Amino acid sequence: MNESPPLFDPALIRSRIARAREAGYAGFLVERVAEDLEDRLAAVTRSFTLGLDLGTPVPALTERLRASGRVGRMIRLSPTAEPGGSVVGDPELLPFGAGAGFDLAVSALSLQHVNDLPGALLQLRRALKPDGLLLAGLLGGATLTELRQAFLQAESETEGGVSPRVAPFAELRDLGGLLQRAGFALPVVDADTVTVRYGDPFSLMRDLRAMGLANALHDRRRTPLRRATLMRAAAIYAERFSDPDGRLRATFEILWLSGWAPHESQQKPLRPGSAKTRLADALGAAEHRLPVDGETS
């Protein structure tokens, strides 16, 4: 059987991140996610000996955790070469095997571009020590919904068809199941929405290039974007997604996932039927038995 083509082009993603960093990376979104991740980690009442930063585009997250004193040592898996002794690698092909000794794995805005997310999560779980924690934030399906809608309408009007311009991102409802499939215990997923406002759509597009987030789909259209389509998309964006002051909204949905490598000390769900207290008693309510087939109420 022939394997289906990958959704994303990893080599192109790495080259665009490298180019963005050389030109001056727009780090406001990574900084926001790194700050939120540090706040979430503060709720965990333990320290960590060895942590892994998995593919965050810039070192902001690693630097925060090193400065916090919560992690004894941080190893950074970077998409591009950088000073500071990071390891260059791909989140889908971890250079760390089972028993690598990590008791913490974190990631900010990298896992949304992984072709095989279940496989990457499985590798992560194997690289963690028992009772090690995974905590990651990635872009979700509502990200750039305004830009996606504007381009879909513009291409339909000017070219009589549509092509993928904005990458499809993960959906919240899928992530819990993926964590369980990868063998994580106590999985938790939730979402946060960050709205950024711009003076015009072209400022948003410049920021996306400066974050290495331009279209990196494997099956992207290889011909240049028509000027007529671009200008019509910008006009639609301004018409449909402007605030009363004229500034334009851009949505970034951050999906958060966490899970623990299994350990015997962790809480486990009770067996069905093993409860010793009735729900009606706990709620202080009267219990009413529903009739079974053949009975009348």
Side-chain angles (χ1 to χ4, degrees), residues 160-240:
V162 298
S163 61
R165 295 285 181 187
V166 180
F169 298 117
E171 298 292 341
L172 181 66
R173 62 178 177 270
D174 300 325
L175 290 181
L178 293 181
L179 285 169
Q180 290 179 320
R181 282 175 54 189
F184 282 95
L186 309 174
V188 176
V189 297
D190 64 275
D192 184 25
T193 299
V194 178
T195 302
V196 183
R197 302 204 311 150
Y198 289 91
D200 57 73
F202 304 108
S203 298
L204 165 62
M205 296 176 200
R206 284 193 293 271
D207 266 0
L208 293 177
R209 287 194 295 272
M211 290 187 281
L213 288 178
N215 187 357
L217 291 170
H218 183 275
D219 292 334
R220 65 194 179 279
R221 180 182 288 187
R222 307 304 171 108
T223 55
L225 175 64
R226 294 183 183 179
R227 178 176 175 78
T229 302
L230 175 61
M231 299 307 293
R232 181 60 184 139
I236 292 168
Y237 202 125
E239 292 166 5
R240 296 182 56 187

Side-chain angles (χ1 to χ4, degrees), residues 44-261:
V44 181
T45 56
R46 59 180 281 189
S47 58
F48 299 92
T49 303
L50 181 62
L52 170 66
D53 177 355
L54 185 73
T56 302
V58 289
L61 179 55
T62 292
E63 292 169 356
R64 275 184 170 272
L65 294 182
R66 283 174 176 164
S68 72
R70 294 290 309 280
V71 187
R73 181 186 174 206
M74 283 293 300
I75 293 178
R76 173 164 159 73
L77 185 71
S78 172
T80 62
E82 61 188 23
S86 64
V87 178
V88 178
D90 188 331
E92 294 189 69
L93 300 170
L94 283 187
F96 315 106
F102 297 106
D103 52 1
L104 175 68
V106 295
S107 181
L109 302 188
S110 70
L111 293 179
Q112 70 273 355
H113 285 146
V114 168
N115 282 305
D116 180 14
L117 186 53
L121 291 175
L122 178 60
Q123 292 180 68
L124 269 176
R125 197 264 299 162
R126 289 174 174 170
L128 285 169
K129 294 168 58 176
D131 207 30
L133 172 64
L134 165 65
L135 180 57
L138 61 154
L139 294 176
T143 296
L144 299 176
T145 180
E146 302 90 353
L147 188 63
R148 184 183 294 112
Q149 293 178 53
F151 267 114
L152 285 175
Q153 183 177 335
E155 282 196 312
S156 180
E157 292 179 7
T158 62
E159 303 183 34
V162 298
S163 61
R165 295 285 181 187
V166 180
F169 298 117
E171 298 292 341
L172 181 66
R173 62 178 177 270
D174 300 325
L175 290 181
L178 293 181
L179 285 169
Q180 290 179 320
R181 282 175 54 189
F184 282 95
L186 309 174
V188 176
V189 297
D190 64 275
D192 184 25
T193 299
V194 178
T195 302
V196 183
R197 302 204 311 150
Y198 289 91
D200 57 73
F202 304 108
S203 298
L204 165 62
M205 296 176 200
R206 284 193 293 271
D207 266 0
L208 293 177
R209 287 194 295 272
M211 290 187 281
L213 288 178
N215 187 357
L217 291 170
H218 183 275
D219 292 334
R220 65 194 179 279
R221 180 182 288 187
R222 307 304 171 108
T223 55
L225 175 64
R226 294 183 183 179
R227 178 176 175 78
T229 302
L230 175 61
M231 299 307 293
R232 181 60 184 139
I236 292 168
Y237 202 125
E239 292 166 5
R240 296 182 56 187
F241 302 109
S242 62
D243 288 333
D245 62 0
R247 296 184 67 80
L248 309 180
R249 302 182 301 277
T251 297
F252 294 90
E253 183 185 36
I254 312 300
L255 304 184
W256 287 99
L257 55 88
S258 66
W260 298 81

